[in-house]
Amino acid sequence: MKNFKRYLVTAALPYANGPLHIGHLAGVYIPADIYVRYLRLKKQDVLYICGSDEHGVPITLRARKEGTTPQQVVDQYHSIIEKSFQEFGISFDIYSRTSKPVHHQTASEFFKTIHEKNGFIEKTSEQYYDSEANQFLADRYIIGTCPRCANENAYGDQCEKCGTSLSPTELINPRSAISGTAPILKETSHWYLPLDEWEPFLKKWILEEHKEWKPNVYGQCKSWLDAGLLPRAVSRDLDWGVPVPLANAGSKVLYVWFDAPIGYISATKELTPDWEKYWKSEDTRLIHFIGKDNIVFHCIVFPAMLKAEGSYILPDNVPANEFLNLENEKISTSRNWAVWLHEYLADFPQRQDVLRYTLTSIAPETSDNDFTWKNFQEKNNNELVAMLGNFINRVVVLTNKYYNGNTPELGIPDAKDLEVINTLEQFKTNVEKLIEEFHFRDAQREAMNIARLGNKYLAETEPWRIFKENPEKVATILNICIQITANLSIILEPFLPFTVEKIRKILNIGTFEWNAIGSHTLVPTGHKIDAAPELLFSKIEDAEIEKQIEKLQLSKMSNAPIVPQFPPVKENIAYTDFEKLDIRIGTILEAQKVPKADKLLQFLVDSGVDKRTIVSGLALHYTPEQMVGKKVTFIANLEPRKIKGIESHGMILTAESPDGKLALLAPESEIQNGSLVK
RNA sequence: UGCGGGGUGGAGCAGUUGGUAGCUCGUUGGGCUCAUAACCCAAAGGUCGUAUGUUCGAGUCAUGCCCCCGCUACCA
C-alpha cells in the first residue's frame, strides 16, 4: 500500500429534500465519523467533508407543490439536516451546501476545464418543451397516462403507481406540470461526458488496481464495466442549479449528479486555503463513504470526471454500505416508515450514543440489515448499561468507598494483574486493524471487550472480599481498574463520543492520543476522581419501546388511505366509442407461467367462437392451477400483440384497487362462453 | 430475465491464501454481592440454503438448482 501523508474523507451529500433518518446515519455518517475520529486520535492529518446537495428537479417540484421557491425548500432542510448531524456528534470539519457561490464557481471551473480540453461531446436530441412557459421540461415535469397501468398521473421518468420506469415519450397524453398544456417536442443540445472513452482506464484502475474494495462495491463496478459504458449527459434544461458556464448555453444547468460530487471539492475549498494539498497530491488518501445506491457515481462517473479534468487525485477506496431496514420493512420517506433523527432526540434526549452504538452494531456492512426497537432496547440494557456503565460504576463506587476517591497505588502487580495490563495493548492493535479495514461493527465489539475484561477482572480478584486482610492488593486492583477505565475513554471515543466525555469527567482526566491505549499509567497515584458521578447509561423500559412501535404502527395506518385515491373519472365518450369494444365471456382452458417473466401468465381461452391465446400480468395474484376452469371477461377485438414472444389475442379484464390488489371480473350467474358484455 | 450482493446454532453476525466451525445477545445450570436484579463461570444448541464435482481434506474452490435484497426486463 502507498504511504499516505494525509486523509480526505467524504460522506455522501444528503439531498436537501427531507430530514435524516437512521438509515442515513448507519450506512454513511457514523462509519465515516468513526473512521475520522480514529484518524484524529492517531494524530493523522485528516479532513472530513460533507454538505447538502441542493440542486435537481425533485427540489423544484417540491417548491412548486408547496408554493414556495427552491431556495426556501433547501434552506429549510439544510438547517434541519445540519442540526441533526451536530446533535449526533458527526464531526465534519465542514458541512457546506451546493447552493453557495463557492460551489457554483468551483463547479463552473471544473466544467470549463473539461470543456477546454474537449472532454465533452455535444449532442442534439428532442425533448418535451412547454411553449406556454417557454421552457424545456425535465422528465419529472411531464405528467401523463402510464402506458402500463393507465394511471393518469404518471411522471415522465416513473409511474409511482405501478413502479415501472418510463421515458417521457412513452406517456399517453403528456401534459406539462407547469402550465398543464400539452408539450411539444423540440430540439435541444446537451453536453455529454464520454464514459465509454474512459472505460479502458476505469477497468484497469478498478478491476486490476483496486481488488481490495468491498465485494459489493467491486462486484457492482465490474457489472457496469462489463456491460459497457455510454456517454452521459451532464447538462439539463432547468433554471435551478449551476448554470452551464458557456456563452451559448442559454438556460441550461449542470445535471445534479455532475455538480454534486464537485461539492466535496468546493466544501474543502471553503474550509481551507490549503485545499489543493488535499485534492491534488498523490500522497493524499481520498475515501468516499456512501450508500449502495451511489456506487456507480462514486466509482465510475466521478472518477471519470476527475480524470477528465486532469488535476485531481482519485479515491483510494469507496466503502459503500448496503441498506438498513426498519422492523423488517424497507425504510421509506414517502410512507413515513422511518425513525427520524430529530424525532428520536425528542423522545430519547441525551441518548445519542445509544443510537450510535446500536446502529454501529447493526451497520449493513455486508448485506442489508434490520433495525428493531426491541434490539435497540436489548443493546442498551444488556451491553451499555449492564456491561460498560456498570463496570465503570463499580470502579467508581469501590474507589470512593475504600480510598475516598483517590487513585490508590499500583504497588506490586502479580501475574494475574500483569496479564490484564498486557492484554490492554492487544485491544489497541485489534481495533486499529478492524477500523482500517472498515469493519466498524467488529471494531466496536472489540473495544467494548475491554469493559468485559474489567468486569471479569473484578469478579476474579474480588476486592470487596479481601479488603480487610489485604488492602495493598485492593489498591493494586483498583489502580488497574482505573487505568482500564482511562483506556476505555480513548478506545471508545470514535464510537461513543458523548459517553467518553462523561468518562473523562468521572475520572477527572483530559484527552489522550490513540497510542496511549495499552498504558497502565494514564492516571497517577493520588489522582482524585468524581465522588458521586451520574450514571453513564440508564435502562430503557418496555413502555418506551412499545410507544415507539405504536408510533410506527400509526404511521403505517395513516399510510393506508382511508379514502382511497382513485384517479378522476375520464372524459366522456360517445356511445359509438363504447360500441367499438367487443367484450365477451370466456373460460380458461389452459394456463401456464410464461418462462423468464415474473408476472406473466399465458392462457388458452374458450371464447365461444374460437380458442385463443391471451397473455396477462396475473402471475403475482393467481396461480395457473387456480385459473383453469374460471370464467373471465375479456376484450376480444384488441389488436394482437406479442409479449415475451407470445402473440396475445385480447385482454383479460380485472379490477384493481388503489393498493394494487387484482380481482377478476366474472359473470354473476352461469352464462355461455361468447356472450357479449354491454 | 440479465447482472451484482447475501443465505453459517433461537436472533444478529465473523470466518483471512481450503486442514478439528467462532463471536455478541438470548436460553439453562452454578458462583458472587462492590455494582443500575447488574457481574463472573459452565453447559445445551449448527449435516455452514441445496445437489453434484475438484481434493488426502471444503463454510472456504467449480458447476447446476432454490430462497432473500438491489438495479433491470415482462403487465394490451
Side-chain angles (χ1 to χ4, degrees):
Chain A
M1 204 219 272
K2 275 201 245 171
N3 209 2
F4 293 106
K5 287 214 178 82
R6 66 193 74 76
Y7 289 78
L8 180 58
V9 176
T10 72
L13 306 185
Y15 197 54
N17 191 30
L20 293 173
H21 56 64
I22 52 172
H24 294 113
L25 226 45
V28 180
Y29 306 101
I30 290 180
D33 195 57
I34 292 170
Y35 191 66
V36 167
R37 283 174 181 271
Y38 160 76
L39 290 173
R40 291 197 192 111
L41 282 169
K42 290 269 282 183
K43 300 292 170 197
Q44 296 291 321
D45 183 356
V46 52
L47 294 184
Y48 184 14
I49 305 292
C50 196
S52 298
D53 174 11
E54 305 185 310
H55 296 137
V57 174
I59 283 168
T60 61
L61 275 179
R62 179 179 282 262
R64 182 170 297 277
K65 204 167 128 194
E66 294 173 1
T68 168
T69 64
Q71 189 64 50
Q72 274 175 303
V73 170
V74 300
D75 282 351
Q76 183 197 347
Y77 288 111
H78 173 76
S79 64
I80 294 177
I81 292 170
E82 186 175 32
K83 187 159 170 254
S84 285
F85 280 140
Q86 259 169 22
E87 286 173 333
F88 278 91
I90 305 299
S91 59
F92 300 126
D93 288 291
I94 183 167
Y95 188 77
S96 186
R97 51 194 304 191
T98 60
S99 60
K100 284 198 176 177
V102 60
H103 175 70
H104 280 238
Q105 184 206 333
T106 309
S108 298
E109 278 167 16
F110 199 102
F111 180 95
K112 268 192 272 183
T113 306
I114 298 180
H115 186 256
E116 278 156 21
K117 291 182 168 183
N118 290 318
F120 293 125
I121 48 181
E122 219 175 318
K123 278 207 280 193
T124 302
S125 61
E126 285 200 321
Q127 304 274 329
Y128 274 121
Y129 184 84
D130 184 327
S131 37
E132 196 160 300
N134 282 323
Q135 59 172 283
F136 280 97
L137 298 168
D139 294 354
R140 283 237 135 197
Y141 269 150
I142 301 157
I143 300 170
T145 304
C146 173
R148 304 278 150 69
C149 71
N151 166 23
E152 296 202 332
N153 292 307
Y155 292 111
D157 58 347
Q158 193 189 20
C159 170
E160 299 204 326
K161 197 165 154 220
C162 66
T164 349
S165 56
L166 301 168
S167 81
T169 45
E170 288 178 82
L171 289 177
I172 303 160
N173 295 326
R175 59 186 194 276
S176 161
I178 298 173
S179 65
T181 56
I184 54 166
L185 279 170
K186 192 173 162 179
E187 286 216 325
T188 179
S189 76
H190 283 288
W191 291 268
Y192 289 71
L193 183 67
L195 289 179
D196 46 327
E197 287 175 22
W198 295 104
E199 195 177 302
F201 164 77
L202 290 168
K203 274 190 168 156
K204 180 162 176 290
W205 176 61
I206 298 173
L207 302 183
E208 289 172 33
E209 295 169 18
H210 283 290
K211 294 192 191 232
E212 81 282 9
W213 286 5
K214 290 176 58 173
N216 57 340
V217 177
Y218 188 90
Q220 188 67 249
C221 290
K222 186 163 162 31
S223 156
W224 277 82
L225 289 168
D226 288 349
L229 303 176
L230 295 171
R232 258 189 112 117
V234 303
S235 57
R236 287 276 131 154
D237 291 293
L238 192 72
D239 56 6
W240 176 244
V242 178
V244 172
L246 297 173
N248 62 342
S251 69
K252 293 180 201 297
V253 296
L254 301 182
Y255 198 7
V256 62
W257 66 255
F258 185 86
D259 96 71
I262 297 174
Y264 298 138
I265 300 171
S266 35
T268 316
K269 214 166 169 179
E270 183 183 344
L271 174 67
T272 166
D274 255 355
W275 67 277
E276 282 180 299
K277 188 174 83 184
Y278 290 89
W279 276 102
K280 301 191 172 182
S281 321
E282 283 300 327
D283 51 9
T284 296
R285 187 169 186 215
L286 172 60
I287 298 178
H288 297 307
F289 282 85
I290 56 168
K292 71 170 159 188
D293 50 332
N294 255 327
I295 290 174
V296 63
F297 291 118
H298 286 77
C299 298
I300 309 261
V301 180
F302 190 43
M305 286 164 58
L306 292 167
K307 198 73 189 163
E309 202 277 351
S311 66
Y312 290 90
I313 55 167
L314 300 187
D316 184 58
N317 208 324
V318 185
N321 274 335
E322 301 286 300
F323 285 153
L324 187 69
N325 294 332
L326 170 59
E327 302 286 355
N328 275 312
E329 281 180 48
K330 203 191 288 193
I331 294 180
S332 160
T333 304
S334 56
R335 285 173 43 243
N336 195 26
W337 188 256
V339 177
W340 301 106
L341 297 189
H342 57 284
E343 291 187 7
Y344 171 88
L345 271 188
D347 292 346
F348 298 96
Q350 304 301 311
R351 286 215 168 115
Q352 290 93 333
D353 274 352
V354 179
L355 190 64
R356 281 182 69 118
Y357 180 80
T358 307
L359 292 180
T360 300
S361 72
I362 58 167
E365 286 175 5
T366 48
S367 58
D368 289 358
N369 214 339
D370 196 30
F371 176 94
T372 64
W373 280 109
K374 189 90 193 97
N375 181 255
F376 167 82
Q377 182 193 24
E378 282 170 1
K379 296 264 179 204
N380 179 73
N381 293 358
N382 301 334
E383 300 180 28
L384 292 176
V385 175
M387 211 181 63
L388 176 60
N390 184 230
F391 167 66
I392 292 175
N393 189 236
R394 295 169 86 185
V395 175
V396 169
V397 168
L398 288 168
T399 307
N400 278 310
K401 184 166 177 179
Y402 296 136
Y403 298 98
N404 278 322
N406 294 307
T407 307
E409 224 176 320
L410 175 64
I412 302 156
D414 63 20
K416 168 104 226 152
D417 306 324
L418 287 172
E419 193 196 322
V420 170
I421 290 171
N422 292 333
T423 314
L424 284 177
E425 195 151 3
Q426 284 171 25
F427 285 101
K428 177 181 160 236
T429 323
N430 295 345
V431 173
E432 226 168 68
K433 184 164 178 284
L434 290 166
I435 291 183
E436 282 173 15
E437 289 169 348
F438 309 114
H439 292 155
F440 304 114
R441 247 181 351 205
D442 292 345
Q444 178 174 258
R445 187 160 20 79
E446 182 67 5
M448 286 290 283
N449 277 337
I450 294 191
R452 206 162 268 127
L453 173 78
N455 276 321
K456 186 175 164 149
Y457 178 58
L458 278 178
E460 285 171 355
T461 55
E462 297 182 298
W464 50 88
R465 196 154 74 171
I466 61 173
F467 182 67
K468 270 188 187 144
E469 71 242 33
N470 194 354
E472 295 82 23
K473 188 71 233 169
V474 174
T476 303
I477 295 165
L478 287 185
N479 181 291
I480 291 175
C481 282
I482 289 173
Q483 308 301 344
I484 292 175
T485 308
N487 272 278
L488 279 169
S489 83
I490 313 169
I491 206 162
L492 289 178
E493 153 94 41
F495 310 98
L496 307 172
F498 297 91
T499 303
V500 156
E501 188 64 39
K502 287 189 201 164
I503 298 176
R504 284 195 216 107
K505 238 176 95 188
I506 292 172
L507 287 190
N508 187 23
I509 57 174
T511 56
F512 297 98
E513 61 179 80
W514 184 264
N515 288 335
I517 299 169
S519 162
H520 64 284
T521 56
L522 294 174
V523 182
T525 303
H527 181 86
K528 180 93 177 152
I529 67 166
D530 195 336
E534 54 167 330
L535 294 168
L536 285 179
F537 302 99
S538 54
K539 283 207 157 192
I540 294 174
E541 301 301 331
D542 292 350
E544 290 179 82
I545 292 304
E546 279 155 22
K547 211 175 98 192
Q548 292 301 326
I549 294 172
E550 266 168 40
K551 190 166 163 185
L552 279 173
Q553 293 306 335
L554 273 176
S555 83
K556 193 177 232 173
M557 273 159 62
S558 65
N559 278 327
I562 301 153
V563 182
Q565 288 294 307
F566 292 110
V569 173
K570 298 177 190 175
E571 249 177 73
N572 285 352
I573 55 168
Y575 183 73
T576 49
D577 288 334
F578 172 72
E579 267 192 321
K580 289 180 189 164
L581 288 171
D582 188 319
I583 307 175
R584 291 177 191 245
I585 301 300
T587 299
I588 306 282
L589 299 173
E590 295 168 15
Q592 54 180 299
K593 282 213 66 171
V594 174
K596 302 183 180 188
D598 279 352
K599 302 184 184 172
L600 300 181
L601 290 180
Q602 178 183 347
F603 301 110
L604 186 65
V605 179
D606 181 350
S607 74
V609 293
D610 58 13
K611 288 178 184 165
R612 57 173 73 203
T613 298
I614 298 182
V615 176
S616 194
L618 301 177
L620 296 181
H621 302 85
Y622 297 95
T623 63
E625 295 73 43
Q626 283 176 316
M627 290 300 292
V628 174
K630 269 199 172 33
K631 283 254 192 270
V632 294
T633 310
F634 67 99
I635 303 182
N637 64 337
L638 206 56
E639 200 64 46
R641 157 142 179 185
K642 268 198 175 182
I643 300 167
K644 278 276 166 186
I646 303 160
E647 187 144 304
S648 178
H649 297 264
M651 174 173 170
I652 292 176
L653 297 181
T654 55
E656 190 187 7
S657 68
D659 55 351
K661 274 193 202 120
L662 285 191
L664 288 167
L665 300 187
E668 168 282 327
S669 57
E670 190 49 41
I671 194 161
Q672 290 163 273
N673 288 337
S675 301
L676 278 171
V677 176
K678 46 186 180 178

